[in-house]
Each structure stands twice: as structure tokens, then as C-alpha cells.
Amino acid sequence: MNEVKLVKKAKRGDKEAFEQLLVLHKDQLYRTAFLYVRNREDALDVVQETAFRSYLAITTLQEEKFFVTWLTKILIRCAYDSLKKRKNDVPLEKVTPILSKLDKRSDEGMDLANATNKLEQKYRDVIVLFHYHDLSIKEVAKVLDLPENTVKTYLQRGRKQLRTILEGAHLYEGKSL
């Protein structure tokens, strides 16, 4: 069944349709949550909280075709909430990331993920949504409530910071970001 039809059904209260939508996007949601919170348990908690909040708010979704964008926006808010809670419990520097068996990245990919995590928050958000979620500039702007030109600027500056970080670690050898 096509995603837009599932979203329409979910908006009318069909729990199975909503569940199918979450199953369709579970890997993408988990990977994004993991990029933010950097450990398996918190990423799973963020995905669960996202599912809960989005289920309660599904009727507020105005355009069905933007379901993933809307869901990602909720996930990012949940991830930041989780980081705020965790920041009060344990300093982020002492948290050891747990690698997911689902996310089989190469060492280079993990270096890129670690470098991405070192970016300023505004640049990291844009880089994650654009490169990891393959959202367009327009969609990223909508998720983050920013003008498109600001997204382009953040994308350019974020890439520049990534190059600097990766070059410092001798990992960026003329490869394009």
C-alpha cells in the first residue's frame, strides 16, 4: 500500500496503518536517533518516544506527503530532550557509545559519524538531514524551520568543519564531502 494512503488511514485512527508507517521508517529513525544520542539504549528510547508523540499528534499533520519530514522533526526534538535529561545525569564525555549491530559501518563511516557529532548543533542537524536522510534543501528547511538560504549556508559551513575535523585526524584525503 502506498505511504500516503497509510498516512490518511492513520490520521483517521487506524492503528495498524500507523504501525506499518513506523515499521517502514524504523531503520531511518533509529540511525538518526543514534547519530544524536550516540548509544543504543537512548536511541531506542528516542524512537519509542517519537512513536508515542507522533501517534498522539498524527491528526495535526497537514500534508500526508510530508509524513517522514514531520516524523523526523519530532524525532530530533525527542533526541534533544533525551540529551538534556542525560546531561543532567552523566557528562556526555563519559558516555561510551555502543555500536549497533544493525548499523554496520566501516571504520571510515564511524569516523565520519564521530566527526559529524563534533559539529556545532545547527550544522550537524543540516548535515544529518541532508546527507543521512537524503532530504532536499527545501525539506531540511521545513523540518528545521529555517530559510532555504540559511540551510545552504549551514550545509556549506558544516561540510567545511567536517573537512577540518577529518583532515586533523588524517582521514580526509581529497574525498568530496
Side-chain angles (χ1 to χ4, degrees), residues 37-39 86-87 89-98:
V37 297
R38 306 300 296 159
N39 77 54
R86 187 169 72 185
K87 192 172 187 177
D89 295 338
V90 180
L92 287 174
E93 298 80 27
K94 294 184 180 182
V95 176
T96 305
I98 299 170

Side-chain angles (χ1 to χ4, degrees), residues 53-114:
R53 288 185 190 180
S54 60
Y55 179 73
L56 293 177
I58 188 71
T59 57
T60 65
L61 176 62
Q62 293 176 359
E63 290 190 50
E64 289 82 8
K65 65 182 180 181
F66 293 119
F67 175 76
V68 176
T69 304
W70 174 79
L71 191 62
T72 303
K73 192 173 189 174
I74 293 171
L75 180 118
I76 290 171
R77 288 183 187 141
C78 290
Y80 284 135
D81 289 348
S82 175
L83 288 173
K84 285 176 191 173
K85 287 178 192 172
R86 187 169 72 185
K87 192 172 187 177
N88 292 334
D89 295 338
V90 180
L92 287 174
E93 298 80 27
K94 294 184 180 182
V95 176
T96 305
I98 299 170
L99 299 177
S100 166
K101 293 180 182 177
L102 290 173
D103 195 12
K104 296 177 182 171
R105 297 184 191 147
S106 65
D107 289 339
E108 185 177 293
M110 285 306 296
D111 292 335
L112 182 59
N114 289 332

